[in-house]
Amino acid sequence: MSKIVAVTACPTGIAHTHMAAEALSATAAQKGHDIRVERQSSQGVQDALQPAEIAAADVVVIAADIHVDEARFTDKPVYRTTPSRAITQTAAQLDAALALAGEESSQMANPATPGTLKVVAITSCPTGIAHTFMAADALKKAATARGWEIAIETQGSVGSQNTLTEEQVAGADLVVIAADTHVDDARFGGKKVYKTSVGAAVKGAAKVLDAAVAEGEVLGQNLADTVDALKAKRAAARTGPYQHLLTGVSYMLPLVVAGGLLIALSFVFGIKAFEEEGTLAAALMSIGGGAAFKLMVPILAGYIAYSIADRPGLTPGLIGGMLAVNLNAGFLGGIVAGFLAGYVARWLRDAIKLPRTLEGLKPVLILPLLSTLITGLIMVYVVGEPVAAILAAMTSFLQGLGTTNAVVLGLILGGMMAVDMGGPINKAAYTFAVGLLTSDTYAPMAAVMAAGMTPPLGLALATLVAKNRFAPEEREAGGAAAVLGLSFITEGAIPFAAKDPARVIPSIIVGSAVAGALSMVLGCQLMAPHGGIFVLAIPNAVTHLGAYAASVLAGTLVTTGMLIVLKKPLRDGVAATA
């Protein structure tokens, strides 16, 4: 039996701090270990660790998204993780921490074996909620299994964590960038770099490392060398429209979430309460709808252009996005403006050649002026009115959907949310629903969130009512999946789907499709774009609350029922064949 002390801390301390503490305590007890957990939250420090407890501990676990003072743990092996991983991968995190405690002396005594590679990596997905950290964990495990040293920087929606130091980059033999958004690689000049997607790292980290060794290419030592030697390859890597769109979406999402929740809070005082000037409801609506939502489209367009052309694309993209708002072209106009501004800025950047003495004028004068002028004129005279007409027609169609069409749209959006559980298809459905919020179309958002909650919830329920169909580690993960499902984190279903895709994926697709269709046909509308069950507690944030809860429940039950039918009982941990 080992003695463990732990600290859990998240920025708000409302949920993850306590959920991580409970998960660590329960799992450690099941494994026969002695554990004490200190909780650091917005309410202060609870169950503070005592010096005697720290002195007797074999290892320290810090599960935190914020800074934790480690001075008192100077002489102890410290394992650092996040509250999310402590909740969703509790057993694995504890095993890794205990392994660290056992490896301290051996690592000090035995230097790294000859030929050991030093790897640095960056993982980044559009939302940064799950795939970013899952990819990091997978790469770390694959590299550790080979005896390689690895340091991983995660670039999520809350910013960069475990940022790579200059020393780590300088000492690296290999750089792996697993990202579905734009990642600046300027600091890796002269290093062997391999780029892939987050999904590839999650599903096959070992293959990614093999490919990185075999196919990675050395970046130029400076900007001039990079442009001369890798211009064509770099340009080709950036022409993927989907990656540029996801980059814009990733920067837009915090505005959408903040604005949507503030609008929902204004409805607490009544649906029309914001119309009375000087009231708190009016102030909340002004902040959420008048400011945050108005910035959504410019930010979307600006960072699509940034992904295409780096900094030269940001100015014309932001201005093109604002023109889309002014022209009533909405999020569709913003997408067009972003791609237009990005490609115009990149073409101008590459086409304009100036003497070295005048080169400094390009980024501060020539490129912003010309790219903004071209983008603006095209938006005003060519793009604006047609796109505005298309958006108006689409909005009118969606708001006037008959029962049959509503069911079909709900089935499609719901199924898309479950097909890849946070992947490209899921993000496409979510982006579609979020974009419609700017047009006061709220039904698709309700369908998408209901369908996104269903997969983890259905799996969690199945692990309870059909325990003989799931391995012990899956049953243990069921509780965490339930929490993730309630929080609208569809990625909670991924571990189950990866282990048994033929049975799990069809089950969650059908369940999510049912949830989405019911939400649409029952006329449910959702004002806030994220938050899961926690948003539903806000009065008037969702219309027809009872019907909406029934939609989520129905999708969950359908998923659970299909899992019970399709999955066979296990025999000694192996699925039965008959």
Side-chain angles (χ1 to χ4, degrees), residues 10 21 41 69 159 162 207 216 241 258 309 313 318 345 376 442 446 480 529 555 563:
C10 74
S41 70
D69 185 4
N162 302 318
K207 292 181 180 178
L318 290 168
Y442 302 110
L563 287 167

Side-chain angles (χ1 to χ4, degrees), residues 375-403:
T375 300
L377 290 175
I378 293 176
M379 287 295 298
V380 171
Y381 290 109
V382 180
V383 174
E385 289 189 15
V387 174
I390 293 171
L391 181 65
M394 184 175 71
T395 301
S396 177
F397 169 75
L398 289 170
Q399 291 178 340
L401 280 176
T403 300

